[in-house]
Amino acid sequence: MSSQCCISGFKWDGAPTGHDTTLGDLNAYMAKATTTTSTTNSGEDDVAVLFIHDAFGWTFVNERLLCDSYAEEIGATVYMPDFFAGEVIPSDIVRDPKRWNEFDFPGFIARNSREERWPQIQQAAATLKTKHRKVGVAGFCFGGWAAFELGSDEYTPRLVDCITVAHPTNLTTNDIDKIGVPVQICAPDEDPMFTPEMKKYANEVIPTRGCAYDYQYFPGVTHGFATRGNPGADGERRAMMRSKRAQVGWLKEWLHGGE
């Protein structure tokens, strides 16, 4: 995972409205809808979204603000657990390349590898499944491979009901080969972590998997745009808003659709 693309970007203004809690043994940020949506019959507590953060982790203000928006617009309870065992990249370095060498990013990635974090991610999804009728996943950067793994057809019953990812990292052809739930990908034009070859593979293989698939392409933006884009730049702001609307619509369809 490249440190430059995974820790660059912008920190957004805003005050998150959710609160800290726990999910199983993990600390977590939780956001709940204040009102039910028109697509909800039995209330927002009936469905949940597991929000799997990018490299900045569960305390990053940008992603907490996204959790708040997703909860309200989907009509769901959104949980963003801490999958980095309390370790947090200082968010104030996000816009300052001169400070990126202050943080041991290679060591951080080694400590938070797939092998190390998958058991916690799987348990978080299993816990939500015991509390909610349906569970969707939104994964960003680090969360991309995890969302695909949760959506694998290897698990019976399914761990989750649908997934959406933006600029995924560490995604493998094996992850794509096994997807078994409705899947959406929000892919920027330039992304060293989700290469043209992987994009091509996903677009060739996923339609053969027998599950609903939505591929959203975002020209003129790079890796990290959905969680760390510049709201002051017209093109980036539009891409961020378009990505959020697409993901909200996808999760609403597969968590509330037909009700």
Side-chain angles (χ1 to χ4, degrees):
M1 187 184 293
S2 167
S3 61
Q4 183 172 350
C5 70
C6 292
I7 63 174
S8 62
F10 286 77
K11 185 178 177 181
W12 303 339
D13 294 327
T17 56
H19 65 274
D20 292 355
T21 183
T22 57
L23 182 64
D25 296 332
L26 301 173
N27 289 321
Y29 179 76
M30 184 179 77
K32 288 175 66 78
T34 57
T35 59
T36 59
T37 67
S38 60
T39 57
T40 310
N41 281 338
S42 52
E44 68 274 10
D45 282 338
D46 218 19
V47 300
V49 173
L50 179 62
F51 190 110
I52 307 180
H53 50 67
D54 68 9
F56 278 91
W58 79 294
T59 61
F60 191 37
V61 63
N62 296 16
E63 292 177 277
R64 289 189 169 207
L65 292 171
L66 283 174
C67 287
D68 294 346
S69 292
Y70 284 35
E72 197 67 44
E73 296 176 36
I74 296 167
T77 304
V78 178
Y79 299 83
M80 180 168 58
D82 172 18
F83 290 123
F84 292 156
E87 189 171 12
V88 173
I89 299 176
S91 61
D92 58 352
I93 74 171
V94 68
R95 294 183 61 181
D96 189 356
K98 295 179 181 178
R99 297 190 56 197
W100 291 347
N101 61 3
E102 294 178 9
F103 190 80
D104 175 19
F105 198 75
F108 172 80
I109 293 304
R111 291 187 294 275
N112 295 289
S113 65
R114 289 182 68 140
E115 294 75 19
E116 184 68 25
R117 297 303 171 207
W118 169 243
Q120 296 152 353
I121 293 168
Q122 182 180 23
Q123 185 57 49
T127 299
L128 288 183
K129 266 295 194 178
T130 67
K131 301 170 58 159
H132 300 274
R133 181 174 56 87
K134 288 187 176 181
V135 176
V137 182
F140 302 84
C141 186
F142 167 88
W145 69 262
F148 264 79
E149 182 70 23
L150 287 171
S152 170
D153 66 359
E154 288 189 330
Y155 305 107
T156 304
R158 294 282 191 263
L159 292 177
V160 298
D161 297 282
C162 60
I163 69 169
T164 177
V165 303
H167 41 82
T169 63
N170 295 340
L171 195 61
T172 69
T173 56
N174 189 48
D175 295 327
I176 293 169
D177 290 343
K178 296 187 299 184
I179 192 66
V181 300
V183 53
Q184 178 188 63
I185 299 175
C186 294
D189 183 24
E190 299 179 26
D191 193 341
M193 305 309 298
F194 189 45
T195 63
E197 293 77 17
M198 285 298 291
K199 292 172 182 174
K200 182 175 184 291
Y201 191 85
N203 285 326
E204 289 177 347
V205 172
I206 296 177
T208 72
R209 295 293 300 149
C211 52
Y213 178 45
D214 180 45
Y215 183 84
Q216 297 278 332
Y217 170 69
F218 295 80
V221 293
T222 62
H223 181 88
F225 80 95
T227 54
R228 301 186 304 278
N230 180 3
D234 288 344
E236 290 189 45
R237 182 175 65 251
R238 183 167 188 167
M240 289 157 49
M241 295 304 295
R242 187 181 141 220
S243 175
K244 184 171 75 74
R245 286 194 297 267
Q247 291 190 299
V248 164
W250 185 256
L251 290 167
K252 284 180 70 173
E253 170 64 27
W254 297 106
L255 296 177
H256 292 302
E259 299 180 356

